[in-house]
Amino acid sequence: MSQAISEADDRMTRQEVFAVAVCIFINMLDGFDVLVISFAGPAIAKAWNLAPAELGLLFSSGLAGMMLGSLFLAPLADRIGRRPVVLISLMLVSAGMLASSISNGLYVLAATRVISGLGIGAMLAGLTATVAEYTPERRRALAVSLLQTAYPVGAILGGMISAIMISQLGWRSVFVLGGVLPAMLIPVVFFALPESLAFLSSRQQPDGLARLNAARRRLGRSELGEMPPRTAGADRRAGSVLALLTPEYRRSTLLITFTYVMVMMTLYFALNWTPKVVVDAGLSEAVGIQASVLVNIGGVIGASIFGLLAVRYREVRTLRVYMLACIAGLVAFGMVDMHSALLWVAAFVMGCFLHGITIGLYTLLPRLYPAEVRSTGAGWAIGVGRLGAIVGPATAGYLFDSGFGAASVYALFALPVLLAFVAVSRIDDRPAHGRAVQSAQ
């Protein structure tokens, strides 16, 4: 071969750093777009006189769209490329958000939230694969963790901006903002975000070498004299859900999907119910919101630290430590005196490790699959995991209605994390032939 594809250094070109930065910013916008309905929900309920169940429909419609996008749109990234799917996702998010801003009824708004969710669900999986493939092996866990950390950062900043905009301009204004920003990113992605080198290397097309070298030039890399070696059957497996259940990947697929369901169940329980639990303890709604924000701030810090630790100790080992700390944090939060300063400590610790686990799983996913099924594997793990996000809050509501106290409920929701600990401990995260990221760098 005229030039080895595995250039030994871990350096990233400026163009690659910029491409990763664009992906991180996109994910930050996703964090805002997902939670914008939570920010605008009280104002919408007041304007349209919605019952709690009707408001719940609006909350769940976006989540349903995200699940469908992860399951059925994300696999397209393994067939047509990461870049086209990111562009399609941005268009869906922008169209859905702008349509939400002019909706005139509950069901119309719910439908527009599904459209936005489709784009966000596809993008979450696609961006994870894209950033993993832009980044050298040694820095991959850190890069993917930074990508996913942008999600809660977007939620925090979005909440601050939304509070001002809704009070000054009304609830429709935040949907306009959520639609305009993704639209502005479409030309940036089109002109500045090349296709993933790993994806191009995994495809066997007549103009494959020309397309690969064109992308390499845009990323500041030297050209190759021939296509890199490919895994047998790569084209046949590309974007195939059934490929995830072949003997080579079945174990990893079942374990990572089960882990996602368990973690999402506890995460969305904590995100949805923590403000209400604080208020039910006799504190104000403002304190409940502040506790929720602190959970997310803890998550940003915890996820950033996870990325640094995973670079040295690998993902599974770091996840196991985080999961044990998360179990302790959940139990402690349920038992803490919420009228004391310990409330803030417990909220921070719980968010640090619970969000850290979630984002840690995103860093693990790209390691489990080769380029031709990476986005498919990520999409299905994330999409099926959304079932846990639906079941968790509903189960908590039943438990609270049945008379269980906060200490018991938070302790019970530590059990899914314990089961996730058992499952993730059985995942092999060592680089393996045919499974390691084909960086083509």
Side-chain angles (χ1 to χ4, degrees):
M1 182 178 294
S2 60
Q3 181 178 345
I5 64 166
S6 55
E7 296 164 40
D9 61 74
D10 285 336
R11 293 174 297 175
M12 294 177 66
T13 65
R14 285 179 297 178
Q15 295 91 329
E16 287 170 332
V17 172
F18 178 75
V20 170
V22 169
C23 293
I24 290 173
F25 186 72
I26 292 173
N27 213 33
M28 189 182 300
L29 290 185
D30 284 350
F32 168 68
D33 290 340
V34 168
L35 291 181
V36 68
I37 191 66
S38 299
F39 306 142
I44 296 172
K46 183 177 180 181
W48 290 354
N49 194 29
L50 298 181
E54 293 173 317
L55 191 59
L57 172 64
L58 293 181
F59 290 156
S60 62
S61 56
L63 189 62
M66 289 175 65
M67 181 173 69
L68 294 173
S70 295
L71 292 175
F72 301 110
L73 292 184
L76 289 176
D78 290 327
R79 291 184 175 274
I80 65 176
R82 316 315 191 206
R83 182 169 169 268
V85 169
V86 171
L87 286 168
I88 292 170
S89 299
L90 285 171
M91 293 176 190
L92 285 171
V93 173
S94 180
M97 294 292 282
L98 292 174
S100 295
S101 72
I102 59 173
S103 59
N104 56 5
L106 170 66
Y107 296 107
V108 174
L109 181 56
T112 62
R113 291 299 297 159
V114 171
I115 294 172
S116 297
L118 285 171
I120 294 170
M123 196 136 49
L124 284 172
L127 290 176
T128 300
T130 301
V131 168
E133 292 164 355
Y134 277 143
T135 313
E137 165 70 23
R138 192 172 65 85
R139 302 181 182 181
R140 189 161 295 133
L142 178 60
V144 175
S145 69
L146 289 176
L147 170 74
Q148 300 304 333
T149 299
Y151 194 86
V153 169
I156 294 168
L157 295 178
M160 297 166 60
I161 295 170
S162 295
I164 298 172
M165 293 186 67
I166 292 172
S167 64
Q168 299 293 325
L169 303 172
W171 65 266
R172 295 181 187 274
S173 64
V174 293
F175 289 99
V176 173
L177 178 65
V180 169
L181 291 177
M184 293 173 62
L185 280 174
I186 291 173
V188 176
V189 171
F190 185 83
F191 291 108
L193 196 69
E195 182 55 82
S196 157
L197 299 182
F199 171 79
L200 292 174
S201 299
S202 71
R203 309 297 288 169
Q204 189 68 41
Q205 297 175 338
D207 61 345
L209 182 60
R211 293 183 62 195
L212 177 60
N213 282 330
R216 290 180 65 87
R217 288 194 298 271
R218 292 181 66 183
L219 288 171
R221 295 281 179 181
S222 58
E223 296 186 15
L224 298 180
E226 59 184 5
M227 287 290 287
R230 300 167 61 253
T231 306
D235 285 341
R236 177 171 45 82
R237 291 199 305 259
S240 170
V241 176
L242 293 179
L244 304 179
L245 298 177
T246 58
E248 188 176 1
Y249 307 118
R250 183 187 301 126
R251 178 186 176 88
S252 294
T253 296
L254 295 177
L255 288 172
I256 194 68
T257 302
F258 176 80
T259 301
Y260 256 99
V261 173
M262 294 296 101
V263 171
M264 290 293 173
M265 185 182 301
T266 298
L267 174 68
Y268 277 84
F269 150 69
L271 292 179
N272 282 277
W273 279 99
T274 294
K276 182 73 165 56
V277 168
V278 171
V279 171
D280 287 348
L283 299 168
S284 67
E285 292 183 2
V287 174
I289 293 173
Q290 290 166 7
S292 181
V293 169
L294 195 58
V295 169
N296 283 286
I297 292 174
V300 171
I301 295 173
S304 300
I305 295 173
F306 182 97
L308 295 172
L309 292 175
V311 168
R312 181 170 182 178
Y313 299 109
R314 308 199 69 80
E315 290 86 352
V316 166
R317 184 181 298 178
T318 309
L319 275 168
R320 293 173 67 188
V321 173
Y322 263 59
M323 286 175 173
L324 292 176
C326 178
I327 291 169
L330 285 162
V331 173
F333 186 86
M335 298 176 63
V336 75
D337 179 3
M338 300 205 178
H339 292 270
S340 72
L342 291 176
L343 167 65
W344 309 111
V345 177
F348 179 87
V349 170
M350 179 176 69
C352 176
F353 293 107
L354 187 52
H355 275 293
I357 290 168
T358 308
I359 290 170
L361 291 175
Y362 280 99
T363 71
L364 176 60
L365 268 171
R367 190 182 295 279
L368 303 181
Y369 302 104
E372 61 267 18
V373 291
R374 183 167 297 127
S375 189
T376 303
W380 273 76
I382 296 167
V384 176
R386 298 293 169 189
L387 295 175
I390 296 170
V391 171
T395 302
Y398 172 79
L399 292 172
F400 283 124
D401 286 344
S402 300
F404 284 80
S408 299
V409 174
Y410 277 84
L412 286 172
F413 272 92
L415 292 178
V417 182
L418 179 60
L419 293 174
F421 172 87
V422 174
V424 84
S425 297
R426 300 177 68 83
I427 294 176
D428 182 5
D429 66 347
R430 294 173 301 173
H433 178 70
R435 192 185 70 190
V437 174
Q438 301 169 10
S439 63
Q441 291 178 342

